[in-house]
Amino acid sequence: MDRRDIGYRTRRFRSPGALIAMAGRRAPDPPLRAMVFAAGRGDRMGPLTARRAKPALPFCRTPLLERILDWLADSGVEEAVVNLHHCPETIEAVLRKAENSGAAPLRLYRSREAELLGTSGGLSRASEQFPALARTTGRLLVLNGDTLPTLRLERMVRFHRLSGGEATLLADPAPGPEFAGERRLDADEAGVITGLSGAGGPGFGFAGVWLLEPTALRHLSGRSGGLSGDLLPGLIRSGTGRAFPSRAPWFEIGTPARYLEASLRALDRRMAAGPPEGGIRAAPGARVTHPELVSPGCSLDPGARVERSVLLEEVSIGAGALVCESVVASGETVPAGAVVRDALFARGIALPLAGSPA
């Protein structure tokens, strides 16, 4: 397709909706390559990521990264690079399980970072280390390791192909509270990204998923930092970035509060696994309203109650204690008779969930 053809298609379709409608009548593209960012320290999660990488946290009892790899495989992606830095052994465990299970037909590669490079620096390094990521044919899917999309990827691929851009960003046209504090994408009626607005302002909510042509990598500086501050400005200047509007649910666990909120929303979509291995040790009179959010090895003493809460591994709830709409870190003991509500319970202390690291 030459530049005249690209320009013609861009002018012809007056809106992203028109592009999507036309996309539904075209066959999907061949499988993609992907990069998943899993190197970050997860500072906003506080104690929850002290000894493991954020993508290795259980999401309805299954590591979030495992769910992301399954989604990639189901979407037709054949190979993926995952970068590692913080607690890399916890990411390695998930990758080895995926490789050994044979359930996800993905070829997995590791990009190890001695120093944390950020998403922009991490993508630049991985592109140098694995030239297949930057080869001149095919497209690259890039996403954060703390975010699980659910959209049908082929629709985004079709939109991207017809829009004639170098990059397409997954965008929510009616962003909800999960986008609180996040800047918005400004786009014209054809979906061309024109800028970034302030947090909470008008525009699209960006869901952290990029679909890139190989030429889009020319906008990378190679320096450490984030894609939104490095790649996106180049796309805006060149007019080659597109916003793909989608209201398909997605789940992001960037903070303890978002972790709980996303876990509860996932229950509505029946994303939880079966009963915890070995079960929950619950004494007479103890009650758990959502066992799908309780990790293996947890125990409840007589009269203890756990309501709408995420419990990581090996948590003990004392007799008569109440844990409600909270997150409890692994290995913690909630004292008998305690009331933990809207809190992150870690290191023996209950912090208000809204005031926990964010």
Side-chain angles (χ1 to χ4, degrees):
M1 180 183 294
D2 63 21
R3 290 183 180 275
R4 289 171 298 174
D5 194 20
I6 290 173
Y8 167 73
R9 292 185 183 277
T10 302
R11 289 192 299 270
R12 178 181 178 186
F13 299 111
R14 299 298 297 167
S15 70
L19 286 168
I20 294 170
M22 176 62 75
R25 298 196 290 271
R26 296 285 298 273
D29 280 13
L32 307 167
R33 303 177 302 281
M35 178 160 188
V36 182
F37 296 120
R41 289 185 293 267
D43 292 337
R44 296 186 300 164
M45 296 295 280
L48 299 179
T49 51
R51 297 181 180 179
R52 77 177 119 194
K54 183 165 47 173
L57 282 167
F59 186 62
C60 296
R61 289 201 303 273
T62 299
L64 183 63
L65 179 58
E66 182 177 334
R67 292 185 180 274
I68 291 172
L69 296 178
D70 287 343
W71 177 77
L72 290 174
D74 291 343
S75 298
V77 175
E78 289 190 335
E79 55 186 359
V81 176
V82 180
N83 66 345
L84 305 89
H85 174 77
H86 176 65
C87 297
E89 68 282 357
T90 61
I91 296 296
E92 281 283 6
V94 178
L95 298 180
R96 285 196 301 270
K97 180 181 177 182
E99 290 170 328
N100 295 334
S101 69
L106 282 171
R107 291 190 297 275
L108 297 174
Y109 305 94
R110 283 82 161 162
S111 179
R112 295 177 174 86
E113 299 180 5
E115 296 181 1
L116 196 59
L117 300 176
T119 52
S120 181
L123 179 57
S124 296
R125 184 181 188 281
S127 298
E128 296 171 358
Q129 188 177 5
F130 303 99
L133 283 182
R135 64 190 180 203
T136 57
T137 59
R139 298 178 178 105
L140 176 64
L141 182 70
V142 177
L143 66 160
N144 297 326
D146 65 355
T147 302
L148 175 65
T150 66
L151 83 156
R152 293 177 55 190
L153 184 59
E154 66 266 24
R155 292 180 62 81
M156 185 173 176
V157 171
R158 289 166 177 156
F159 171 90
H160 173 81
R161 181 183 59 207
L162 293 169
S163 72
E166 288 187 296
T168 296
L169 282 62
L170 179 61
D172 191 326
E178 66 271 23
F179 291 96
E182 303 290 339
R183 298 181 70 184
R184 306 291 171 82
L185 296 173
D186 293 326
D188 65 18
E189 62 178 6
V192 177
I193 299 172
T194 58
L196 279 172
S197 64
F204 292 88
F206 177 41
V209 179
W210 310 68
L211 187 56
L212 305 176
E213 292 293 326
T215 57
L217 299 183
R218 68 189 173 93
H219 298 290
L220 292 176
S221 68
R223 298 187 299 270
S224 298
L227 287 176
S228 293
D230 189 15
L231 176 59
L232 185 56
L235 296 171
I236 293 172
R237 286 193 300 269
S238 64
T240 57
R242 305 290 185 265
F244 172 67
S246 172
R247 302 256 40 223
W250 60 283
F251 304 90
E252 186 258 344
I253 63 168
T255 67
R258 291 185 180 183
Y259 184 26
L260 175 61
E261 186 269 339
S263 299
L264 291 170
R265 285 198 298 120
L267 292 181
D268 295 335
R269 294 183 60 83
R270 301 179 181 178
M271 295 178 60
E277 183 178 348
I280 302 169
R281 299 187 296 275
R287 182 167 62 92
V288 179
T289 60
H290 296 295
E292 303 92 339
L293 304 183
V294 178
S295 297
C298 294
S299 64
L300 283 71
D301 288 346
R305 290 180 294 153
V306 176
E307 301 175 356
R308 296 174 56 82
S309 296
V310 173
L311 272 57
L312 301 189
E313 304 85 355
E314 304 294 334
V315 167
S316 298
I317 310 296
L322 169 65
V323 177
C324 180
E325 296 191 348
S326 297
V327 178
V328 183
S330 59
E332 292 291 327
T333 297
V334 177
V339 176
V340 178
R341 190 186 300 274
D342 299 321
L344 167 64
F345 191 92
R347 299 171 181 166
I349 299 173
L351 299 172
L353 200 59
S356 57

